[in-house]
């Protein structure tokens, strides 16, 4: 991810205010559409003092596929990224582990 993919302004504590990240094309037809949760402190028992990320992907091919998703608190951010690539109602499959 490059700085051109990030929008927002830095707060005095070093975090981005109004933080948003555009979907990131990983390879033709595959996009990172996850979320970064700066406030996450425990991820399935793993201590995360600086937050964490939810690595969700969208495959845009003959079938539209979401691989993994995000915690409910990050849904709006996640779906906004998906909408920048495809209409969410066109998603054929959701794969979750």
């Amino acid at each position: 991810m490059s700085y051109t993919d990030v929008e927002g302004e830095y707060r005095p504590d070093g975090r981005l205010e109004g933080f948003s990240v555009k979907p990131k094309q990983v390879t033709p037809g595959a996009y990172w559409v996850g979320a970064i949760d700066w406030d996450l402190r425990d991820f399935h028992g793993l201590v995360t003092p600086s937050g964490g990320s939810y690595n969700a992907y969208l495959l845009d091919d003959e079938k539209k596929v979401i691989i993994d998703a995000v915690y409910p608190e990050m849904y709006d951010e996640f779906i906004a990224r998906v909408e920048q690539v495809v209409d969410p109602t066109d998603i054929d499959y959701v794969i979750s582990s």
Side-chain angles (χ1 to χ4, degrees):
M1 188 177 315
S2 70
Y3 290 109
T4 59
D5 298 321
V6 177
E7 298 173 351
E9 295 184 21
Y10 283 97
R11 300 186 323 199
D13 64 5
R15 290 189 180 176
L16 282 170
E17 183 73 33
F19 178 74
S20 69
V21 176
K22 302 171 189 173
K24 179 70 175 173
Q25 187 173 34
V26 178
T27 190
Y31 299 85
W32 178 86
V33 291
I36 298 172
D37 184 353
W38 298 107
D39 298 320
L40 181 69
R41 294 296 173 259
D42 182 302
F43 186 75
H44 301 285
L46 178 65
V47 176
T48 56
S50 299
S53 65
Y54 304 103
N55 292 312
Y57 296 90
L58 168 66
L59 303 180
D60 183 11
D61 204 350
E62 292 176 26
K63 298 291 184 177
K64 313 293 187 225
V65 181
I66 294 286
I67 301 175
D68 279 339
V70 299
Y71 276 15
E73 297 82 10
M74 307 305 290
Y75 175 80
D76 291 341
E77 186 177 325
F78 162 74
I79 205 68
R81 286 194 188 90
V82 171
E83 288 174 334
Q84 292 179 57
V85 181
V86 300
D87 181 339
T89 63
D90 291 339
I91 302 294
D92 296 294
Y93 301 103
V94 175
I95 300 171
S96 182
S97 59

